[in-house]
Amino acid sequence: MGYLRKIEYKIIQKDSYKIIRNCSGCGCKATYINTRKFRVNANGKYLDIWLIYQCEKCKHTYNLSIYERIKVTDISKIEYNKFLMNDLQFALDCGKNKQLFLKNKADIDWESVDYYIIGDDMEFKQGDYITVCNSQQLKIRIDKLVANILHISRSKVKSLEKDGTIEIIYNYFEGMIEILIKGEFIVI
C-alpha cells in the first residue's frame, strides 16, 4: 500500500533529567534537580568538573561528574568559560545528556521527564504515514504519544491497533516511531 502523505513530528525534552538517589539529608530516596550550576576544581594542570544537583526537599547536593582528571589543555576555552560562568543553557544541555547520566550510573526519574511535540496539528485520514523522531530516546508510553498526536484516547489507540486500522512500529535503535493509518477512523 502506498501512503498519500508523510507527516513528521519531533519530540523535544523540556528540562533536565531528574535523579532519584538516597539523600543523606532526608534519610530516604529523594528526587534531585539540576541547579544549573557547575563546580570546577583545579589541581595543578588537571581539572574536575561537576554539574550540581540538589535534593528537592532538603537542598542536599550531589555532584554529577562531567570531567574527571582532565588536562586543562584538553578542553576548549569556550567550554571552560561556560563552566566558570555557570552558563544556564549549557547547564541545561548537560542536564539533558543521557550519556552523562549513564557514565555516572545515575538513576534517571523517567516518570518526571517533560516533553513537547513539534509538528502540524491536522486531521488524519487513511493512507497517512506519520513519523515521530524521539532522538533523545526518552522513555515515553507509545500509546499515550500516539493518542496525543491523533487526538484520541489511549483505549481508542489500542482498539484501532487491534483491529488493524492503524499500525505502530517503534525502532528503539533509531528512536523512531512510525504510525501507519490503514483505515478510516472517527475522532470523537
Side-chain angles (χ1 to χ4, degrees):
M1 172 181 201
Y3 290 94
L4 302 175
R5 295 187 298 179
K6 182 177 180 184
I7 303 152
E8 297 178 354
Y9 289 88
K10 186 173 185 177
I11 298 171
I12 306 292
Q13 185 176 347
K14 285 185 182 178
D15 204 357
S16 298
Y17 292 117
K18 292 181 180 181
I19 300 172
I20 298 174
R21 59 177 280 115
N22 285 323
C23 175
S24 59
C26 295
C28 61
K29 283 202 180 259
T31 303
Y32 281 69
I33 58 171
N34 185 351
T35 64
R36 298 191 181 168
K37 295 187 178 181
F38 298 100
R39 178 172 177 216
V40 179
N41 185 30
N43 185 357
K45 57 185 175 182
Y46 294 101
L47 292 173
D48 292 317
I49 301 173
W50 300 277
L51 179 60
I52 303 171
Y53 267 73
Q54 186 176 66
C55 175
E56 282 184 315
K57 295 175 187 171
C58 73
K59 308 299 183 210
H60 186 81
T61 60
Y62 166 69
N63 293 332
L64 186 73
S65 177
I66 296 174
Y67 291 117
E68 291 179 353
R69 312 305 299 157
I70 187 172
K71 290 183 180 178
V72 176
T73 56
D74 290 345
I75 187 170
S76 74
K77 287 188 181 220
I78 294 170
E79 187 177 24
Y80 181 65
N81 283 330
K82 286 181 180 182
F83 289 126
L84 291 180
M85 302 302 291
N86 286 317
D87 184 285
L88 292 176
Q89 185 58 49
F90 189 58
L92 179 62
D93 293 342
C94 288
K96 292 179 181 180
N97 182 344
K98 189 162 60 169
Q99 296 307 315
L100 188 63
F101 292 84
L102 293 173
K103 178 182 97 172
N104 282 276
K105 297 180 181 161
D107 188 13
I108 296 172
D109 181 5
W110 291 108
E111 297 296 318
S112 71
V113 174
D114 202 10
Y115 64 91
Y116 59 95
I117 304 167
I118 295 177
D120 294 329
D121 192 20
M122 61 177 53
E123 287 188 28
F124 300 99
K125 57 187 176 194
Q126 184 175 359
D128 284 347
Y129 171 69
I130 304 163
T131 60
V132 184
C133 179
N134 184 8
S135 61
Q136 293 168 304
Q137 296 184 342
L138 301 177
K139 291 184 180 178
I140 299 171
R141 287 186 56 159
I142 302 299
D143 60 338
K144 182 179 177 184
L145 177 70
V146 173
N148 191 354
I149 290 171
L150 298 179
H151 305 293
I152 58 178
S153 67
R154 291 194 332 234
S155 60
K156 180 80 171 172
V157 168
K158 290 175 184 174
S159 170
L160 291 173
E161 190 174 22
K162 186 176 181 179
D163 71 18
T165 304
I166 64 172
E167 182 180 352
I168 302 168
I169 304 163
Y170 186 47
N171 183 333
Y172 288 95
F173 297 109
E174 295 177 13
M176 188 66 70
I177 301 147
E178 298 172 347
I179 307 164
L180 314 171
I181 300 179
K182 297 178 171 184
E184 292 292 331
F185 65 92
I186 299 170
V187 178
I188 299 173

